[in-house]
Amino acid sequence: MSIRLSSEVYTETSPTHQVNEDFVLAGQDFVIVLDGATPVPGLENGCIHDVPWLVRYLGLHLAEGLIAPGDASLVSILEGAIRRVCEAHAGTCDLDDPNSPSSTVALLRLRGERADYLVLADSSVVFRMTDGSILPITDDRLDHLDDYSVAGFGAVRNTAEGFWVASTKPEAARQAVTGSVDLGSHPVHSVAVLTDGAATLVERHGRTWAELFAILDLGPEALVRRTREADEAATAEFRGKRHDDATAVLCHLGDGDIP
């Protein structure tokens, strides 16, 4: 049996941004979600390109790898995509600069009755099983840094002591959170692929993944709207931006043989 995805997608620019630095692409058997890191105003990063350039090129190279024949791992596909992006601007930019444009990565791929996933930095892939149980795939290394200053981030980005993102080191792909779900023995009802801007109801506001799915069932746009309301109403201090670009994908799995 061939299982295929049908996906509902919504992406929205932060109320405080002019440009959406997320990237999303969904096919019959894969989903790509990227969240570009907003640059610090005035901070030199050694690159003539902006973050939307990075996520577009990275996303398109990921898509090329995902639709290519063969059974390459998600790690090797991401590693190759980062390498190709590096090659595209190595002649014009300083790829050794610790503040080079970067992105999170969340990938979902179906192969037969297997669902492969990859998460790098703070985007998420969350499985909801038919029995109601939840399997969240997250990379929480950004939550355990000692120094959240600009200098502190730059010092530990893409190092074993800090966190990993898709930027100028292809080997960062090998540090991603990866795995597979056997859909035969673990029937999946649906999968959410989210940037952190669409997951803050759980990550910042204390809601459960089950509660998030209940909102997401109304549509990805409903989730983003509810998230915006919670972010705006929050009074407690929290690390990071109050608002962010938000991308949510709700994936339904079905028999690809059924028209």
Side-chain angles (χ1 to χ4, degrees), residues 5-219:
L5 291 173
S6 61
S7 302
E8 300 175 60
V9 178
Y10 184 74
T11 185
E12 182 178 284
T13 306
S14 164
T16 57
H17 290 180
Q18 293 183 333
V19 178
N20 192 328
E21 293 165 337
D22 289 353
F23 176 96
V24 57
L25 183 62
Q28 287 189 329
D29 57 4
F30 71 86
V31 174
I32 301 167
V33 169
L34 308 177
D35 180 2
T38 302
V40 176
L43 180 68
E44 294 295 329
N45 62 15
C47 188
I48 65 173
H49 303 98
D50 59 13
V51 173
W53 178 91
L54 173 77
V55 296
R56 286 195 301 270
Y57 271 73
L58 181 61
L60 292 174
H61 287 310
L62 284 167
E64 290 174 352
L66 287 165
I67 66 176
D71 195 26
S73 70
L74 295 183
V75 168
S76 64
I77 290 172
L78 175 57
E79 188 168 6
I82 296 173
R83 182 174 294 107
R84 293 185 68 181
V85 173
C86 289
E87 291 169 352
H89 67 143
T92 58
C93 306
D94 178 10
L95 302 191
D96 292 324
D97 192 302
N99 299 306
S100 295
S102 65
S103 177
T104 74
V105 182
L107 302 177
L108 173 68
R109 177 181 65 180
L110 296 187
R111 284 295 178 97
E113 294 191 10
R114 186 184 79 220
D116 301 328
Y117 57 80
L118 179 150
V119 170
L120 186 67
D122 57 357
S123 292
S124 305
V125 177
V126 188
F127 293 86
R128 175 173 53 173
M129 307 303 181
T130 55
D131 64 3
S133 61
I134 306 289
L135 175 62
I137 309 301
T138 60
D139 176 0
D140 67 352
R141 281 171 284 198
L142 273 167
D143 296 330
H144 302 288
L145 303 184
D146 295 325
D147 183 357
Y148 288 99
S149 68
V150 174
F153 259 72
V156 298
R157 191 180 77 157
N158 282 345
T159 70
E161 295 74 28
F163 64 101
W164 298 85
V165 288
S167 180
T168 58
K169 292 187 176 181
E171 61 269 25
R174 304 173 205 166
Q175 306 300 322
V177 179
T178 63
S180 298
V181 173
D182 183 338
L183 302 177
S185 57
H186 298 88
V188 171
H189 177 277
S190 50
V191 188
V193 187
L194 310 165
T195 62
D196 66 327
T200 57
L201 287 177
V202 172
E203 297 174 349
R204 177 183 294 169
H205 301 301
R207 305 291 287 272
T208 67
W209 288 113
E211 290 173 315
L212 183 146
F213 266 108
I215 300 168
L216 189 56
D217 283 337
L218 302 175

